[in-house]
Amino acid sequence: MSADTSFWNVRPAAHSRQLILFPFLGGFGASFNGLVNGLRSGWDIWTANPPGHGPSTIAPIDSLDELVAHYVDELDDVLRPGAVLFGHSMGGIIAYHVLAALQQDARFGPNRIPADLILSAVRAPMRLAEDLWSQASDRDLITHLIEFGALPDLIAADPDLIGLFVPAFRADYGVLEDARRRPISKLDVRARLVLGELDPQTPSGTADDWQRYFWRPLRTHTLPGEEHMFVRHAIEPIDAILAEVRETPAEMIPPMSHALLQK
């Protein structure tokens, strides 16, 4: 693992199924430490470290197409058959678009396309907020991030630390603004949506919105009493969902033509 690569094998298990985690707004690989440490065995776990975030020495990327292309290029050396993509909040948007790009890339044959996609605490791209935070002043952006709870108290209290994080958040908002403007493109993949019962970021109708992005039926799990950042502490229910995914081998997914799915 190095600061100039964007995928880290944080819990190697070469003979286990790959689980690739994409972080939330402003997050990076270490944002998943609690989940990585809490999951049962049976996973070869990788985390995405977005350019310009955390330890990354790569400049932040504020374009959806450029970020996805960057990830896909690096995944060419990483991805194995039967992989599972998991994205929390913004990470779900990125995981969806990365999978879409992988399905169109000749470097990845059918056996290397991820078999499962898990979207966690994320509304569909068409429902993303229209605020242009990528273009806001530093002062307004910092105020928004503090009010939104995106900056931990320790960082929010230190102007020097805040200055280090602002470019990453600004780039992330640019990526989300790109995603909101994209037309719906349906993917043929086994997908699940994990929601917090009390999460204001995923309003009623989120599952129906996301279903429009997939040919196959979307499975939805709602975690009782949970708000938006349940990925930091609701390890047991997430582990149970992931275990169910892991125990359904990729080769058991029947081929389904788009014509049949449209009926």
Side-chain angles (χ1 to χ4, degrees), residues 61 63-73 93-94 97-99 101-102:
I61 296 176
S63 158
L64 177 64
D65 286 342
E66 291 180 21
L67 181 61
V68 168
H70 171 78
Y71 281 148
V72 168
D73 285 345
I93 301 289
I94 302 306
H97 282 284
V98 167
L99 179 56
L102 290 170

Side-chain angles (χ1 to χ4, degrees), residues 12 18 61 79 85 87 94 104 125-126 132 141 203 205 212 218 261:
Q18 259 185 333
I61 296 176
L79 205 57
L85 304 187
I94 302 306
Q104 299 298 319
M126 65 180 179
L132 299 178
L141 179 57
R212 297 174 62 184
L218 174 70
L261 287 161

Side-chain angles (χ1 to χ4, degrees), residues 129-158:
E130 297 183 12
D131 306 294
L132 299 178
W133 288 111
S134 69
Q135 301 176 25
S137 67
D138 283 356
R139 180 176 179 178
D140 287 346
L141 179 57
I142 290 167
T143 299
H144 165 70
L145 292 171
I146 292 172
E147 292 175 348
F148 184 61
L151 287 174
D153 292 341
L154 180 64
I155 295 173
D158 188 328

Side-chain angles (χ1 to χ4, degrees), residues 22-166:
F22 291 84
F24 42 83
L25 183 85
F28 53 100
S31 302
F32 285 117
N33 281 352
L35 182 62
V36 170
N37 294 330
L39 292 179
R40 285 173 284 179
S41 61
W43 290 112
D44 178 35
I45 304 179
W46 294 71
T47 58
N49 288 274
H53 294 56
S56 174
T57 58
I58 306 170
I61 296 176
D62 62 3
S63 158
L64 177 64
D65 286 342
E66 291 180 21
L67 181 61
V68 168
H70 171 78
Y71 281 148
V72 168
D73 285 345
E74 290 214 1
L75 283 171
D76 193 24
D77 296 324
V78 169
L79 205 57
R80 293 192 284 106
V84 177
L85 304 187
F86 177 103
H88 186 81
S89 194
M90 176 185 176
I93 301 289
I94 302 306
Y96 163 83
H97 282 284
V98 167
L99 179 56
L102 290 170
Q103 291 184 349
Q104 299 298 319
D105 196 309
R107 291 174 293 179
F108 301 87
N111 67 320
R112 280 219 297 160
I113 301 299
D116 292 272
L117 173 65
I118 302 178
L119 306 165
S120 175
V122 57
R123 64 179 67 188
M126 65 180 179
R127 301 297 185 198
L128 292 172
E130 297 183 12
D131 306 294
L132 299 178
W133 288 111
S134 69
Q135 301 176 25
S137 67
D138 283 356
R139 180 176 179 178
D140 287 346
L141 179 57
I142 290 167
T143 299
H144 165 70
L145 292 171
I146 292 172
E147 292 175 348
F148 184 61
L151 287 174
D153 292 341
L154 180 64
I155 295 173
D158 188 328
D160 292 331
L161 280 178
I162 288 178
L164 296 175
F165 282 81
V166 164

